[in-house]
Amino acid sequence: MQLVVEEVRCWLVDIPTIRPHKLSMATMGSQTLMIVQLRCQNGIQGWGEGTTIGGLSYGPESPEAMRITVERYVAPLLIGQPLSGVAALAEKLAVLRGNNFAKSAVETAFLDAYGKLVGLPVAALLGGARHQTLPALWTLASGNTDKDIDEARALLESGRHHAFKLKIGAGDLHSDVAHAIRIKQALGDAIHVHVDVNQGWTMAQALAAIPRLQAAGITLIEQPTALEDIDQLVDLAKRFAVTLLADEAVTDAKQGLALIRQGFSGAFALKIAKAGGPFQALKLAHVAEAAGISLYGGTMLEGTIGTVAALHAWSTLDLEWGTEMFGPLLLKDDVVVHPLTYQQGHLSLPSGNGLGIEIDEDKLMHYARSA
């Protein structure tokens, strides 16, 4: 069946976070969601989201740039063109270089609309869901050790989360390591804790810090060095028993294959935004699976639309390291009618055709920028 797009619309939506969220490159007090709507023939609507961290602090695409890309360059490629599936969409978008975050929003909206057209959930379009619930950790990023410990204990007691990630790399090396070790010791051996350095260390700093973190029981260390220093990441993964997680260093299947060929033996963080969409992210996942590389479902701190899109993709995989799809919980509000369900350390995949979510257009207009 063919889907014909008649109109493409975009909004920039600013939503406050429940607390400051400290990363190595920025401290977030709000999140900007770039929302895409595809209006198609037969009254079908598809919704997508493009989200990054800290404006241009994380990468080369800002929410404002994503909107311009979609409105000025993507929309003319799609409007009035019959598309038979996500592969046909990818062929259209291939004429545009880069801009994977914007492409991810469009691919998500297309999958949502196409799923509604054919009467299937997005997961079915991507190969079929193997899991209806997925583990979801919580990131401790207040910047204060005692606050993070109290927050983790409260979440464990409530049952909402059973595993945690720590954001480090912005401060003094020894203080960051001591912070991580204290939290791990407070939570105990049974609780999975991993750290995300967000490219914050030099090779010398990584060599000093990783043995201490490994000895303390930290089980996963995410992107310790700069994304372009591939040789260092490969070397660190070979030196230590603790698993090194490549995030910014591996965006798509081509980069994943190159990293594997260089001898990387850690794990890959999947993100639909950096790959160019759920369908594109699964190409990287399948390369990793073929090479015996373990997988982790990552987030760009998306709201519900982007989070659900990723969940549909992740549900088709076996993710050894689980997911961090907690983005909607970090926001004080969202633009959907029904929030996602988080309980017993897991997140449930919505049912229904397409993404399986309903947009609250009143909230969308409330939070959308006026210009």
Side-chain angles (χ1 to χ4, degrees):
M1 298 180 69
Q2 293 184 324
L3 183 73
V4 179
V5 177
E6 297 182 330
E7 183 183 15
V8 180
R9 301 183 68 190
C10 298
W11 296 267
L12 294 176
V13 175
D14 298 305
I15 301 181
T17 58
I18 59 172
R19 57 152 167 77
H21 192 70
K22 187 175 181 180
L23 304 96
S24 69
M25 76 289 290
T27 298
M28 295 172 51
S30 67
Q31 179 62 298
T32 300
L33 318 177
M34 195 283 294
I35 305 297
V36 175
Q37 180 196 53
L38 301 184
R39 289 182 176 270
C40 307
Q41 285 184 353
N42 303 318
I44 294 173
Q45 297 181 19
W47 295 89
E49 175 189 336
T51 303
T52 187
I53 296 171
L56 282 172
S57 298
Y58 181 85
E61 289 181 76
S62 67
E64 295 80 7
M66 292 179 215
R67 180 176 182 174
I68 291 171
T69 298
V70 173
E71 291 180 335
R72 185 171 299 178
Y73 298 102
V74 174
L77 296 175
L78 303 186
I79 292 175
Q81 300 297 313
L83 297 169
S84 58
V86 68
L89 173 73
E91 186 176 354
K92 289 285 186 184
L93 297 184
V95 301
L96 304 177
R97 294 181 179 272
N99 293 283
N100 280 356
F101 284 59
K103 289 178 179 178
S104 178
V106 173
E107 185 175 282
T108 294
F110 178 85
L111 285 166
D112 185 34
Y114 199 82
K116 293 169 182 174
L117 175 69
V118 300
L120 292 171
V122 167
L125 303 178
L126 298 175
R130 301 170 67 180
H131 310 280
Q132 292 302 315
T133 64
L134 293 97
L137 58 69
W138 176 253
T139 292
L140 302 168
S142 73
N144 180 282
T145 305
D146 291 329
K147 284 184 179 179
D148 282 350
I149 291 171
D150 290 344
E151 186 175 293
R153 284 173 170 165
L155 290 169
L156 286 168
E157 185 175 348
S158 71
R160 199 182 78 182
H161 296 283
H162 296 162
F164 301 93
K165 169 172 154 176
L166 312 179
K167 289 288 188 179
I168 62 175
D172 171 76
L173 177 73
H174 298 294
S175 297
D176 273 353
V177 171
H179 167 75
I181 291 173
R182 272 194 60 199
I183 292 173
K184 174 59 181 172
Q185 290 174 339
L187 299 183
D189 293 339
I191 302 302
H192 166 77
V193 174
H194 90 253
V195 299
D196 183 3
V197 188
N198 278 128
Q199 311 177 67
W201 291 340
T202 65
M203 184 65 168
Q205 289 175 318
L207 289 171
I210 291 175
R212 295 176 59 193
L213 294 170
Q214 180 176 283
I218 300 295
T219 48
L220 196 65
I221 299 177
E222 185 172 346
Q223 200 65 50
T225 54
L227 66 90
E228 63 269 18
D229 294 329
I230 300 300
D231 290 344
Q232 293 181 2
L233 188 63
V234 172
D235 185 28
L236 290 170
K238 290 178 178 178
R239 283 175 181 256
F240 300 104
V242 64
T243 299
L244 273 291
L245 179 64
D247 181 9
E248 291 84 4
V250 57
T251 60
D252 57 20
K254 185 176 180 180
Q255 284 191 337
L257 182 58
L259 196 55
I260 291 164
R261 283 175 170 168
Q262 287 181 258
F264 182 69
S265 56
F268 285 173
L270 304 172
K271 291 179 180 175
I272 63 170
K274 67 181 183 179
F279 180 64
Q280 305 304 321
L282 288 180
K283 292 180 181 179
L284 170 60
H286 298 152
V287 166
E289 288 178 327
I293 297 289
S294 55
L295 298 171
Y296 174 77
T299 180
M300 287 304 303
L301 301 179
E302 292 99 341
T304 297
I305 298 173
T307 297
V308 169
L311 286 176
H312 278 279
W314 305 166
S315 74
T316 70
L317 303 167
D318 287 326
L319 301 173
E320 181 177 334
W321 293 101
T323 84
E324 59 179 28
M325 307 311 298
F326 65 91
L329 296 174
L330 190 61
L331 305 179
K332 287 186 176 179
D333 206 349
D334 212 326
V335 296
V336 296
V337 174
H338 302 292
L340 297 175
T341 301
Y342 292 81
Q343 58 186 10
Q344 299 305 312
H346 285 69
L347 173 57
S348 298
L349 185 69
S351 60
N353 298 328
L355 293 175
I357 57 176
E358 181 181 355
I359 304 303
D360 187 325
E361 297 196 37
D362 289 337
K363 283 190 176 182
L364 175 63
M365 294 301 108
H366 174 75
Y367 288 108
R369 294 183 193 175
S370 57

